[in-house]
Amino acid sequence: MDISATHLTYIFVGLSFSLYIGIAIWSRSTSTSEFYVAGGHVHPIANGAATAADWMSAASFLSMAGIIAFEGAAGARYLMGWTGGYVLLALCLAPYLRKFAKFTVPDFVGERYYSQAARLVAVVCVIFISFTYVSGQMRGVGLVFSRFLEVDINTGVIVGMTIVFFYAVMGGMKGITYTQVAQYCVLIFAYLVPAIFMSLMLTNNPFPMFGLGSTMVGEEVYLLDKLDGLTTELGMSAFTDTNKSTIDMFFITAALMAGTAGLPHVIVRFFTVPKVRDARISAGYALIFISLLYLTAPAVAAFARINIINSVDGMTYVDAPEWFTKWETSGLLAWLDKNNDGVVQYRGGNALQPTKPAFGPGREDLGQRALENLPTANENELYIDRDIIVLAHPEIAQLPNWVIALVAAGGLAAALSTAAGLLLVISTAISHDLLKKTFRPNITERQELLYARLAAAVAIGIAGLFGIYPPGFVAEVVAFAFGLAAASFFPVILLGIFSKRMNKEAAIAGMLTGLIFTFSYIVYFKFISPGSNNPEHWWFGISPEGIGTLGMIFNFVVSFVVMSVTPPPPQAVQDLIENIRVPK
Amino acid sequence: MSDNASNKTSEKVPEKSADTSNQYWQANLRLMYVLLAIWFFVSFVCGILIVDYLDQFRFFGFKLGFWFSHQGSILFFILLIFIYTWRMNLLDKRYGVDEGE
C-alpha cells in the first residue's frame, strides 16, 4: 500500500519536531552560564555536530546544490568559502577565544580593547548580521511547509517559530546544543539518502562523492564528461567551466572564508567546550560533519542537472509529471511555449524577460500558467528557480515517497537549527552586552537570565515577521552578513590575539572603515543603483558578494597605520594577551 | 620544516618562564604559517588561480582543477586542522602548558 508523500511528510516532520521538544524539556537551562554557553561542558564531538547544524542553514541544505547545478564550476566559491573558514577558526581564533572564557564576541572586543564604544559597535554588528541571516532561514521554513505540507506559508512560519521558541527560550545554549546534535543527524541523513539513491541509479557507486567521478551506468563515459556534453549540446556553458572572473572568484571565496571565521554564532560555539584543546579538535570534528554534506553537494548538483535535462527537455507539456506542475503552481517554475509546439525546450540563456516569472491570471490552452513576461530571443522556454533543486530532485528521479518526506524534514532541521543559534546570539548580545555590561550592571543573574529569555522571545517574534512579510531583498542581503563579518570582526579578533600593539583606537577605526566601506558598496550596487550592478562598474571587477575581502584589507591597513601613531594598550591588556596565548 | 619542537617530545622544558613561553609562541606561529600556506595553496591557488591549467590533467573522472575546487580543497582543510591539533597538543606538553585531564 502506498501512503502519499504529503502524509509521510506530516509523520516525519511531526516525529522530528517531537524529538526536538523532548530534548528541550530534558535540557533546560538554570543559570546564565548554561543559557549562554551550555555551562562550558559540551563534549567536542557533540559540539562539532552542533556547530555543523548551526552552520549549515537553509542556504547550505536547500540552495547550494541548486546553485552548483546551474552555475557548474563557479559554485565552488561556496564549497571552498564555507569550509575554508574552519581552518582559520581552528588555527587562528577558536583556541584563544576559548582560553579567554567569556560569553560573547562583543565581550572579547570590549575587554581586549578596554572600550565600551568598541563593545557597542560590536553589538550593533552582531545584531545586524544575525537578523540578516535569520530572515533567510525563515524563507526556507516557509518554502518547505508550503510545498510539502500544502499549508499556507504563514502557518508554516508560525509553527516553525513556536518550535524554536520552545527550545531556545527554555533551554538556551544548552537546549539548542543538544537539539542541534539531533538536527544534524536528521539533516545529514535526509541529504545523503536521496544522493545515494541517485548515485546508484546513475553510476552504480553507493558513495555520491565518488559517484561524481565515476562512469555512467551502461556507458564508458565519465559522468562529468557526459554532463559537459549534454550542457554544451543544449547551448549552455559546460558544467565544469567557470563563468566567473578569476578575481571575483578569489575575492568572494576569501570573503566567505573570513566571514565564516568572523560570524558570531559560529565563534560562540567554541565557548561551550571544556578546554582549549577541545576547541581545536572540535573545529576539526565540525568540518568533518560539514564536509559530509559539502562533498555530496556537487554530486547532487550534477546528478540533478542530468536528470532535469533528460526528463524535461523534449517533453510534451500535457504529459508533464506531477512535480513539474506542482512547482509551477508554487511559482518557482515557469514554461513559455515560444514556438507553440506544446513541447518543453530546455536550452541555454534566460527564457524570460525579466528573468523572474511574472504570472498573469488564469492558464493558457495546454494548462500552463499564463505569463506576463516577454520571451527572450533564445530558444530556451523554461525557468527553474535554483532553490527547488534539492527539494525537487527526489521527485524528478522518481524516488520512493518516504525519501521525499525525509528531505522535507531535513530542510526544516537545517533552517531551524541555524535560526535557533542566531536567535541565541541576538538575545545574548542584548541581555549580556547591552544590559549587564553596559546599561544595567547591577542586575542579578536571575534578572539577566530573565532578560535573556525575553530578548530571545522578542527576537523570535521579529524573525517570524521577516518570514511572514519577507523583505523583497532577502537574497541580496545575505552578502551583507558575510561581507560585514569579514570586514569587521575577523580583523579585529585576529589582530587582538596576534598583535600586542593593537589598541583601542586602531580597532575602532579599523572596524568602522571596514563596515562603512563594505556597507556602502553593497547598498550602492544592490539598492541605490542596481542597474549598474555588473562587472563594468565594479571596482577591479569585484562583485558586492566579494567586496567584504576588500573591506577587510582596508580594515587591516587602517589598523596598522593607526596603531603605529597611537599609544600601545595598557599593561593589563598586554598581560591578558599573554594569557590567552597559552592553554594553561 | 615546521617546528622542530615536537620531534623530541620526551624532552620536557622544565620551567615556565618568559623565555620558554616566547619559544612556545614562536613554535606555534611557525606551525600556523606552514599550515596556512598549504591552506592557501590548495584552495586559492589550485582551486581558483591555476584551475584552468590543472583542468588539463585528469584525476579519476574529474578534471584536476575542478576536483580541487569542489572536493580536494575540503579534504585538505580537514587534514590541516587535525595536523594542527596533533602538533599543538605535543607542543603544549613539551612546554608544560597542557591542561591535563
Side-chain angles (χ1 to χ4, degrees):
Chain A
M1 194 192 84
D2 255 6
I3 310 177
S4 81
T6 311
H7 284 121
L8 278 169
T9 309
Y10 269 109
I11 295 171
F12 278 40
V13 170
L15 281 177
S16 63
F17 279 15
S18 328
L19 175 68
Y20 308 152
I21 292 176
I23 294 173
I25 294 172
W26 167 72
S27 57
R28 283 190 312 275
S29 286
T30 50
S31 67
T32 48
S33 163
E34 282 188 340
F35 195 90
Y36 294 152
V37 294
H41 299 312
V42 180
H43 189 276
I45 294 183
N47 187 52
T51 308
D54 202 352
W55 171 241
M56 290 191 286
S57 61
S60 293
F61 191 95
L62 297 175
S63 307
M64 193 171 63
I67 293 172
I68 301 168
F70 288 106
E71 288 191 13
R77 65 188 187 277
Y78 296 108
L79 294 168
M80 290 190 286
W82 284 342
T83 53
Y86 280 85
V87 178
L88 294 174
L89 263 174
L91 273 57
C92 310
L93 307 182
Y96 309 109
L97 292 171
R98 176 63 194 86
K99 179 67 192 299
F100 178 69
K102 287 284 160 50
F103 294 142
T104 68
V105 172
D107 248 351
F108 176 80
V109 174
E111 300 219 358
R112 167 63 183 81
Y113 296 110
Y114 45 100
S115 155
Q116 285 302 85
R119 183 193 288 268
L120 284 180
V121 174
V123 168
V124 171
C125 292
V126 164
I127 293 178
F128 186 83
I129 291 170
S130 302
F131 264 122
T132 306
Y133 221 97
V134 128
S135 52
Q137 307 314 311
M138 289 305 105
R139 181 184 191 242
V141 173
L143 195 69
V144 173
F145 268 99
S146 65
R147 171 60 183 78
F148 288 94
L149 300 176
E150 289 165 23
V151 297
D152 189 46
I153 287 199
N154 297 0
T155 317
V157 170
I158 291 168
V159 173
M161 290 286 85
T162 314
I163 300 291
V164 176
F165 178 86
F166 207 74
Y167 63 78
V169 174
M170 264 178 60
M173 187 55 119
K174 198 173 157 203
I176 286 176
T177 301
Y178 294 107
T179 320
Q180 280 172 338
V181 175
Q183 283 163 331
Y184 174 76
C185 299
V186 172
L187 82 86
I188 200 66
F189 189 65
Y191 204 84
L192 291 182
V193 166
I196 291 168
F197 265 105
M198 308 249 289
S199 186
L200 282 169
M201 284 163 66
L202 290 172
T203 67
N204 252 335
N205 191 325
F207 300 98
M209 61 174 285
F210 300 127
L212 183 62
S214 305
T215 51
M216 301 282 289
V217 170
E219 294 177 57
E220 285 299 297
V221 59
Y222 281 116
L223 182 129
L224 284 169
D225 295 337
K226 172 93 177 179
L227 182 52
D228 278 349
L230 279 176
T231 40
T232 41
E233 220 171 85
L234 295 177
M236 304 158 176
S237 58
F239 186 78
T240 59
D241 281 352
T242 308
N243 48 10
K244 268 199 172 325
S245 73
T246 301
I247 184 167
D248 204 22
M249 279 288 284
F250 191 99
F251 271 72
I252 295 174
T253 307
L256 295 177
M257 284 188 186
T260 302
L263 277 177
H265 71 286
V266 177
I267 291 177
V268 76
R269 289 239 47 100
F270 295 93
F271 290 119
T272 66
V273 292
K275 292 192 171 75
V276 171
R277 69 160 185 261
D278 296 331
R280 293 177 192 140
I281 194 89
S282 196
Y285 288 130
L287 192 54
I288 287 185
F289 288 130
I290 291 168
S291 71
L292 280 179
L293 191 147
Y294 274 59
L295 292 172
T296 307
V300 169
F303 300 159
R305 186 77 179 269
I306 289 179
N307 281 330
I308 290 176
I309 292 175
N310 284 340
S311 63
V312 167
D313 183 51
M315 165 190 84
T316 49
Y317 182 82
V318 285
D319 301 325
E322 198 190 354
W323 65 265
F324 192 92
T325 44
K326 275 198 170 178
W327 284 109
E328 190 187 7
T329 308
S330 307
L332 295 171
L333 188 150
W335 175 57
L336 185 65
D337 196 5
K338 288 181 179 169
N339 52 5
N340 290 313
D341 62 356
V343 175
V344 177
Q345 281 188 105
Y346 185 35
R347 296 286 185 277
N350 293 323
L352 308 173
Q353 202 179 352
T355 320
K356 297 243 174 205
F359 293 99
R363 302 259 172 181
E364 303 282 351
D365 299 344
L366 296 172
Q368 77 269 34
R369 290 184 70 179
L371 286 161
E372 284 170 354
N373 306 62
L374 296 170
T376 47
N378 61 49
E379 293 182 331
N380 186 22
E381 300 181 340
L382 193 65
Y383 166 85
I384 304 178
D385 191 292
R386 293 163 180 197
D387 284 352
I388 73 175
I389 293 302
V390 168
L391 293 174
H393 82 253
E395 293 175 281
I396 297 172
Q398 298 171 328
L399 299 184
N401 281 342
W402 65 268
V403 178
I404 298 165
L406 188 62
V407 172
L412 287 173
L416 293 178
S417 58
T418 306
L422 290 162
L423 291 165
L424 188 89
V425 163
I426 296 171
S427 78
T428 315
I430 292 170
S431 66
H432 183 72
D433 291 303
L434 274 189
L435 293 174
K436 178 73 183 176
K437 292 286 180 169
T438 311
F439 296 116
R440 303 275 302 276
N442 296 325
I443 54 176
T444 64
E445 187 178 329
R446 278 180 67 101
Q447 285 171 312
E448 192 185 337
L449 190 58
L450 179 68
Y451 283 124
R453 291 188 207 272
L454 273 178
V458 172
I460 289 169
I462 298 175
L465 283 178
F466 276 134
I468 294 172
Y469 306 105
F473 45 86
V474 167
E476 273 72 34
V477 290
V478 173
F480 262 136
F482 284 93
L484 293 184
S488 60
F489 287 133
F490 182 67
V492 158
I493 299 174
L494 191 74
L495 290 175
I497 295 163
F498 290 90
S499 163
K500 277 199 222 167
R501 191 69 182 71
M502 180 68 175
N503 58 16
K504 164 171 84 175
E505 292 82 358
I508 296 177
M511 262 203 291
L512 288 178
T513 308
L515 270 182
I516 293 170
F517 170 75
T518 308
F519 189 87
S520 318
Y521 193 90
I522 298 177
V523 166
Y524 178 79
F525 282 113
K526 292 286 187 184
F527 303 111
I528 297 177
S529 177
S532 61
N533 189 9
N534 55 53
E536 268 172 58
H537 297 92
W538 294 338
W539 285 19
F540 314 111
I542 303 167
S543 62
E545 245 189 313
I547 203 64
T549 304
L550 197 58
M552 175 176 79
I553 293 169
F554 287 161
N555 184 336
F556 277 121
V557 171
V558 168
S559 296
F560 281 116
V561 171
V562 173
M563 79 168 104
S564 65
V565 294
T566 44
Q571 191 57 44
V573 170
Q574 301 202 26
D575 293 343
L576 170 76
I577 304 168
E578 282 288 339
N579 183 4
I580 62 172
R581 285 180 177 183
V582 287
K584 193 175 73 175
Chain B
M1 61 192 285
S2 64
D3 57 308
N4 48 23
S6 48
N7 295 335
K8 313 166 252 175
T9 47
S10 53
E11 182 192 319
K12 283 223 173 187
V13 176
E15 252 176 273
K16 203 178 142 190
S17 64
D19 201 35
T20 56
S21 87
N22 190 38
Q23 280 175 17
Y24 167 80
W25 184 243
Q26 293 306 321
N28 176 356
L29 289 181
R30 275 198 302 277
L31 174 63
M32 194 181 83
Y33 291 142
V34 171
L35 296 179
L36 284 180
I38 301 172
W39 165 81
F40 185 83
F41 182 77
V42 295
S43 53
F44 289 98
V45 177
C46 295
I48 297 174
L49 295 176
I50 60 166
V51 67
D52 291 334
Y53 171 77
L54 291 179
D55 271 347
Q56 62 185 305
F57 306 106
R58 302 291 298 207
F59 181 72
F60 296 97
F62 299 96
K63 293 179 189 167
L64 185 60
F66 181 89
W67 181 77
F68 260 106
S69 64
H70 280 241
Q71 292 190 333
S73 53
I74 300 177
L75 295 171
F76 275 101
F77 295 156
I78 296 173
L79 199 64
L80 290 173
I81 296 181
F82 279 91
I83 292 174
Y84 173 76
T85 306
W86 167 55
R87 299 301 289 258
M88 281 308 288
N89 289 346
L90 290 178
L91 262 191
D92 288 353
K93 284 214 172 67
R94 177 159 194 268
Y95 284 91
V97 294
D98 64 306
E99 299 151 290
E101 285 316 308

